[in-house]
Amino acid sequence: MTDAAEAVVETSGLTKRFRGGQVAVDSLELSVPRGSVFGFLGPNGSGKTTTIRMLLGLIEPSGGTARLLGEPMPRAARQVLPQVGALIEGPALYGFLSGRDNLLRYDAADPTADPRTRSTRVSEALERVGLAAAGSKKAKAYSLGMKQRLGLASALLQPRQLLILDEPTNGLDPQGMREIRTLVRELADDGITVFLSSHLLDEIEQVCSHTAVMSRGKLITQGTVAEMSAGARGRLAVTTPDTAEAMPVLKEHGVTDVTVSGDRVTGEMPATDPPDLADLNAALVRADVRVRAFGVERASLEDVFVALTGEGFDVAG
C-alpha cells in the first residue's frame, strides 16, 4: 500500500450494496500514488464505475470511506472536485455547437471559472488535446476519438491534480485509441495523476505505471504493472518438428500444462527459481528432439489476471 500522505485516491472498506442486496463493491482497499497513471482493471460489471461514482460523491457508499487528495468524500466535495477532472461514460456534447462553443458552455457552468480568461482557457484546452484546428467544427461531425478528446478538454479547462477517466477508449478505432493513450501519457508527464478504468488489458499494459485488479466487486491485487507482470511465471515455448517426443521429456523435468499447437510445445515452467533452462534444453537434445527455438515467453497482465481469478478477459477489445 502507498503511504497515505502520497495517496491521491484512498479507500478503506468502501462498499456499495444496491436494493435487493446486490453487492457491487465489496470492502475496497485502494491506494493510488501521486503522479501515477493508475489502471483500474476488471471485466465489465466488476464494480469499476460504481467505485468511481462513489469517489466523486455521485452516489453514497453503503459502508467504508473514500478520500480524494487527502480529503473525505463526499463531505469535502466542494473543496476537492474543482481540482479533479472526470470523464465518465463518454462526454455529453451539444452536436449543433462547435467544439469550442461546447467548451465555452462547460466553462461558463463552472462557478469558480473567471469569465475574463474563459476564451484563453478554452483555446489552451483545445490545443492541449490536439483539437485547435477543429475547434470551429460542429461536434456532431467529430469522430468518436475527437469527441473523447473534446471531453478530456472539458475536464482540463482548469488546473487539475487528478484526472479520472472511465473507459476512455470505449468504442474507438485503433487510431482513436492510440490518440487517447498518447494524450494520457502527456498529461502524466505534466504531473497530473491519471486514474483510468478499463476492461482492456492491452490498454493498461501500454499506458499505466500502476494497476489494481477487480473481479466481481472485490479487489484482487494492486501494485506496479512491472511487479504484477513479474509475479506471473512465463511459459516455456519450444519450436520443434518432434512435438510428440518433446512432450514427455518436458513433463519429466517438471514442466506442467503442456500443450501443442502446430510445431510449438508450450508449458508452465518448473517451480525452481530461476528455472534451469540449460538442463531442459540438454534433456531435449539427448532425447533426439530437434530444437529449432527455445525460450520463455514473458508473462502478460492477461496471464496475471487469469492466474488470480480463473476468468478469461478482453486483451485488446
Side-chain angles (χ1 to χ4, degrees):
M1 293 289 284
T2 302
D3 188 316
E6 300 176 352
V8 174
V9 177
E10 189 173 30
T11 69
S12 178
L14 190 66
T15 299
K16 182 62 181 179
R17 294 185 188 86
F18 290 111
R19 288 181 182 176
Q22 178 195 357
V23 180
V25 177
D26 190 357
S27 302
L28 179 62
E29 304 280 340
L30 196 64
S31 188
V32 177
R34 182 176 296 277
S36 63
V37 180
F38 192 95
F40 197 37
L41 177 63
N44 291 328
S46 60
K48 302 189 306 296
T49 298
T50 300
T51 298
I52 287 173
R53 291 183 177 280
M54 287 191 285
L55 292 177
L56 294 172
L58 299 174
I59 58 175
E60 289 274 355
S62 306
T65 61
R67 301 178 77 87
L68 287 189
L69 307 179
E71 301 295 333
M73 291 294 289
R75 191 164 76 242
R78 287 191 177 184
Q79 173 187 345
V80 170
L81 290 183
Q83 303 172 73
V84 179
L87 183 61
I88 303 176
E89 295 179 345
L93 304 174
Y94 294 101
F96 62 91
L97 294 178
S98 69
R100 181 179 183 84
D101 286 341
N102 267 281
L103 293 187
L104 288 169
R105 288 213 174 188
Y106 272 115
D107 195 75
D110 183 348
T112 68
D114 184 348
R116 295 170 297 180
T117 54
R118 179 162 296 142
S119 180
T120 299
R121 275 196 306 280
V122 167
S123 295
E124 289 174 350
L126 286 168
E127 183 73 36
R128 192 169 202 184
V129 301
L131 289 178
S136 60
K137 183 184 294 187
K138 289 187 177 180
K140 65 182 178 183
Y142 278 17
S143 67
L144 274 173
M146 293 170 71
K147 288 176 181 176
Q148 288 291 78
R149 282 191 280 156
L150 188 62
L152 282 170
S154 71
L156 296 169
L157 287 166
Q158 297 280 12
R160 311 291 187 184
Q161 292 190 48
L162 171 65
L163 191 61
I164 297 179
L165 308 177
D166 187 18
E167 300 280 1
T169 62
N170 245 7
L172 301 186
D173 60 19
Q175 176 60 30
M177 295 172 78
R178 282 192 293 271
E179 291 171 357
I180 297 300
R181 288 170 183 160
T182 299
L183 179 56
V184 166
R185 292 190 195 100
E186 290 171 354
L187 294 171
D189 289 342
D190 289 342
I192 298 173
T193 303
V194 182
F195 182 90
L196 182 157
S197 88
S198 181
H199 67 283
L200 304 178
L201 283 153
D202 187 53
E203 181 166 81
I204 298 298
E205 279 199 293
Q206 288 192 43
V207 80
C208 295
S209 59
H210 295 69
T211 188
V213 177
M214 291 283 287
S215 179
R216 301 176 187 177
K218 287 182 174 290
L219 178 69
I220 305 300
T221 189
Q222 64 183 312
T224 68
V225 169
E227 288 169 347
M228 293 185 69
S229 290
R233 302 187 67 83
R235 283 182 68 83
L236 177 70
V238 181
T239 302
T240 173
D242 307 318
T243 54
E245 292 78 9
M247 288 181 67
V249 175
L250 294 176
K251 289 178 181 178
E252 286 168 14
H253 286 76
V255 179
T256 58
D257 188 28
V258 178
T259 59
V260 175
S261 176
D263 63 353
R264 275 168 50 90
V265 184
T266 64
E268 291 294 325
M269 291 295 299
T272 56
D273 192 16
D276 198 331
L277 297 178
D279 279 359
L280 273 173
N281 194 21
L284 290 167
V285 173
R286 283 196 302 270
D288 294 327
V289 174
R290 292 167 289 176
V291 178
R292 292 177 176 166
F294 181 95
V296 177
E297 297 177 332
R298 185 182 70 88
S300 67
L301 277 186
E302 181 183 16
D303 301 319
V304 175
F305 187 88
V306 173
L308 288 168
T309 68
E311 297 181 31
F313 207 72
D314 287 347
V315 177

